[in-house]
Amino acid sequence: MTQATILVVDDEPDICHLLQEILEDEGFQVVTAENGAQARRHWQVERPDLVLLDIWMPDVDGVSLLNEWVVDGVAPCPVIMMSGHGTVETAVEATRLGAFDYLEKPLSMAKLLSTVERALESRRYQRIPQRVDGEASIEPIGKSPAMARLRDQVKRLAQYDTRVLFVGEPGGGKETFARYLHKHSLRREGPFIPVGVGTIAPEYSAVEFFGKEEQGKIHHGLLEQAHGGALFLDEVGDMDAETQLRLVSALESKAFLRVGGSEQVKVDMRVLTSTRRNLEEEVKAGRFRKDLFYLLNEVTLGVPPLRQHNEDVPELLNYYVDRFVTREKLDFRRFPVAVQNFLRNYAWPGNIRELKNLVHRLLILGSGEEVELEEVKTALGEIVTKESVEAPEFYDLPLKEARERFEKSYLEYHLEKHSGNVARLSQAIGMERTHLYRKLHALGIKFKDKR
């Protein structure tokens, strides 16, 4: 983990300087503010891990600042109040509003350091929620040489802040390895923020990634949520061009502007990514920025598909049976050797995710202590049949491409329906005309030819 940053807010310069010296001697990074305006700016830009906040200041009192920073009864980081004119009522009010503790002046250095230590320890349990999928495994399963070798590589890489790109087929466990790396890294106490890049619509990506400031309120984006930990960009090849450009700037400078903001926000995080695509080919085709590719691709690790380490199938079956029995209270069923051998030789086009879904289905719908070979074949056949039901061609494309294909078809249909009149099209589909023109241009729809 990186050094904790402490914001000291006190209108007496001598106290600010003294506390800065003491805390820096203890190995902390210290930022000082001598009034409320400076404190607000440092709060937004530095994102401190702890605040020492004086109650009485000339422009705004500390309790008012605390009240601004607390959201739903919780401050984003511990705040320790300080005062030389304190009363029991003041201390009670501060802690009721969300302060971690209250110190009286003149400060006892021993008590100060002990309170700071306790507050930072508590921060480990008050991080922004890590968006952990309840189904996510942190330990990659399998004793095969391929998995053992990959686990070893990931554990060694975890000791450095190298950016790692995990490459492999969907469902093969790329996110699991990213979590495993984070678990063994020096940032393990920080948050792990997974982001399905393709699920974020381009028009919302700036706010999602970089946050926004609006009417005095701050929405922390994904980069800020990952501060001190790791940001995992799943299927980074699906990222739109504008977000790619913004991300390059943020990664190079380790700072960015929130939407609607005027102050640079500093972030310290590790970026991990995954892709099923050949990003070098995407770069050549102009769909992915070359500079972003080289920023993210410090080290590439290939995650093999399940068919290439099918000796791990029995262990994976046992793992998912135990997990569903424990978590969902499903009846235990055993996979006999004949069934295991059959599944070891299955192609697993959906990889580990497909195996997990198969186990879940057999436990829910099956009966008897043992899983029968015929019901496995039937279940696999039904899955294949279900997936092969006639569907539009773009259903088989990545989400970003599928969305573009649908939008293009949808807009061309309605543009033809309204004789190429963009004004009527705008009214019919409920899209503001300026945005509609941009969308038509972006999708390459030559609307002028339709008039």
Side-chain angles (χ1 to χ4, degrees), residues 277-291:
R277 302 169 183 263
N278 183 328
L279 289 188
E280 290 184 346
E281 294 297 326
E282 294 293 301
V283 170
K284 290 177 183 176
R287 292 188 291 267
F288 200 80
R289 293 184 63 92
K290 182 188 249 183
D291 47 3

Side-chain angles (χ1 to χ4, degrees), residues 6 44 55 75 77 81 136 145 165 220 225 228 245 249 254 283 295 321 331 335 394 399 414:
I6 298 177
Q44 293 187 8
I55 288 183
C77 74
M81 308 299 290
L165 172 65
H220 298 297
Q225 293 178 35
L245 176 61
S249 175
K254 296 185 179 180
V283 170
L295 271 174
V321 168
D331 290 337
F335 283 75
F394 59 77
L399 180 60
H414 282 283

Side-chain angles (χ1 to χ4, degrees), residues 150-422:
L150 190 53
R151 276 196 301 268
D152 181 61
Q153 290 175 329
V154 167
K155 286 173 75 172
R156 281 188 280 128
L157 282 170
Q159 305 312 306
Y160 307 95
D161 251 1
T162 309
R163 296 184 185 120
V164 180
L165 172 65
F166 294 94
V167 178
E169 296 178 6
K174 298 189 292 292
E175 182 175 336
T176 298
F177 274 105
R179 290 181 184 277
Y180 186 68
L181 186 151
H182 179 64
K183 175 186 174 183
H184 288 88
S185 76
L186 300 178
R187 296 175 178 269
R188 67 180 68 91
E189 293 172 356
F192 177 91
I193 306 296
V195 184
V197 172
T199 66
I200 300 175
E203 57 267 32
Y204 301 123
S205 65
V207 171
E208 284 292 315
F209 278 99
F210 306 104
K212 68 177 178 180
E213 297 178 27
E214 188 175 33
Q215 298 178 343
K217 297 290 184 181
I218 295 175
H219 165 74
H220 298 297
L222 294 165
L223 270 66
E224 286 186 84
Q225 293 178 35
H227 180 71
L231 179 70
F232 174 62
L233 302 176
D234 189 24
E235 297 300 346
V236 69
D238 292 345
M239 185 178 290
D240 65 279
E242 185 175 345
T243 306
Q244 289 181 37
L245 176 61
R246 285 173 174 257
L247 191 59
V248 166
S249 175
L251 292 181
E252 287 181 333
S253 63
K254 296 185 179 180
F256 58 89
L257 287 174
R258 301 187 189 99
V259 175
S262 58
E263 295 283 352
Q264 287 277 325
V265 179
K266 298 177 184 177
V267 286
D268 175 30
M269 63 187 174
R270 182 176 195 166
V271 179
L272 305 172
T273 51
S274 79
T275 182
R276 69 193 178 283
R277 302 169 183 263
N278 183 328
L279 289 188
E280 290 184 346
E281 294 297 326
E282 294 293 301
V283 170
K284 290 177 183 176
R287 292 188 291 267
F288 200 80
R289 293 184 63 92
K290 182 188 249 183
D291 47 3
L292 180 58
F293 172 67
Y294 286 117
L295 271 174
L296 299 177
N297 185 35
E298 290 184 337
V299 175
T300 297
L301 287 181
V303 178
L306 182 53
R307 62 183 174 275
Q308 291 182 9
H309 58 106
N310 57 5
E311 61 265 51
D312 292 325
V313 166
E315 186 177 354
L316 285 164
L317 292 171
N318 291 334
Y319 171 78
Y320 283 114
V321 168
D322 290 342
R323 193 163 78 172
F324 288 131
V325 168
T326 302
R327 294 189 180 184
E328 300 187 17
K329 309 304 178 188
L330 297 176
D331 290 337
F332 176 84
R333 302 190 73 200
R334 189 171 67 86
F335 283 75
V337 174
V339 174
Q340 292 184 29
N341 287 337
F342 172 80
L343 292 175
R344 280 186 60 175
N345 293 308
Y346 178 66
W348 296 112
N351 291 299
I352 295 173
R353 184 182 299 139
E354 183 184 3
L355 182 146
K356 182 190 79 171
N357 292 340
L358 175 68
V359 172
H360 199 200
R361 178 186 180 88
L362 292 170
L363 293 187
I364 291 175
L365 300 180
S367 60
E369 294 182 1
E370 284 194 352
V371 175
E372 300 289 339
L373 181 56
E374 287 307 312
E375 67 176 308
V376 170
K377 291 179 178 179
T378 300
L380 288 173
E382 288 177 356
I383 291 171
V384 171
T385 301
K386 183 178 179 181
E387 291 179 349
S388 62
V389 170
E390 283 191 22
E393 181 185 350
F394 59 77
Y395 273 31
D396 293 326
L397 295 175
L399 180 60
K400 179 184 175 184
E401 294 177 24
R403 181 169 56 230
E404 289 177 354
R405 185 78 64 85
F406 167 76
E407 288 179 344
K408 190 171 190 294
S409 175
Y410 174 83
L411 290 173
E412 284 178 337
Y413 168 78
H414 282 283
L415 193 60
E416 188 72 38
K417 182 177 177 181
H418 294 285
S419 304
N421 188 306
V422 177

Side-chain angles (χ1 to χ4, degrees), residues 16-240:
C16 280
H17 183 66
L18 176 63
L19 289 176
Q20 183 172 19
E21 283 190 338
I22 292 168
L23 293 168
E24 285 180 345
D25 284 344
E26 294 295 317
F28 300 112
Q29 294 182 4
V30 181
V31 181
T32 62
E34 296 179 10
N35 54 55
Q38 290 180 10
R40 286 189 178 106
R41 184 167 62 84
H42 286 312
W43 172 267
Q44 293 187 8
V45 174
E46 303 293 342
R47 289 186 52 79
D49 299 293
L50 173 68
V51 179
L52 292 168
L53 178 59
D54 187 27
I55 288 183
W56 303 107
M57 291 184 293
D59 57 342
V60 60
D61 64 273
V63 172
S64 296
L65 279 178
L66 175 66
N67 200 31
E68 288 179 19
W69 295 340
V70 168
V71 178
D72 294 331
V74 179
C77 74
V79 178
I80 299 171
M81 308 299 290
M82 306 181 296
S83 178
H85 313 283
T87 64
V88 173
E89 289 78 10
T90 305
V92 169
E93 175 65 8
T95 52
R96 185 188 69 79
L97 286 174
F100 177 80
D101 208 339
Y102 177 90
L103 297 176
E104 290 187 29
K105 296 179 182 177
L107 298 172
S108 157
M109 290 302 107
K111 185 172 183 182
L112 168 71
L113 293 176
S114 127
T115 306
V116 165
E117 185 178 347
R118 286 191 298 108
L120 288 172
E121 181 68 22
S122 77
R123 180 163 166 45
R124 297 178 184 178
Y125 305 101
Q126 296 175 346
R127 290 275 185 180
I128 296 171
Q130 294 192 22
R131 298 188 173 205
V132 174
D133 179 359
E135 292 293 318
S137 168
I138 294 179
E139 185 78 22
I141 305 300
K143 297 184 176 65
S144 63
M147 294 297 279
R149 183 169 54 252
L150 190 53
R151 276 196 301 268
D152 181 61
Q153 290 175 329
V154 167
K155 286 173 75 172
R156 281 188 280 128
L157 282 170
Q159 305 312 306
Y160 307 95
D161 251 1
T162 309
R163 296 184 185 120
V164 180
L165 172 65
F166 294 94
V167 178
E169 296 178 6
K174 298 189 292 292
E175 182 175 336
T176 298
F177 274 105
R179 290 181 184 277
Y180 186 68
L181 186 151
H182 179 64
K183 175 186 174 183
H184 288 88
S185 76
L186 300 178
R187 296 175 178 269
R188 67 180 68 91
E189 293 172 356
F192 177 91
I193 306 296
V195 184
V197 172
T199 66
I200 300 175
E203 57 267 32
Y204 301 123
S205 65
V207 171
E208 284 292 315
F209 278 99
F210 306 104
K212 68 177 178 180
E213 297 178 27
E214 188 175 33
Q215 298 178 343
K217 297 290 184 181
I218 295 175
H219 165 74
H220 298 297
L222 294 165
L223 270 66
E224 286 186 84
Q225 293 178 35
H227 180 71
L231 179 70
F232 174 62
L233 302 176
D234 189 24
E235 297 300 346
V236 69
D238 292 345
M239 185 178 290
D240 65 279

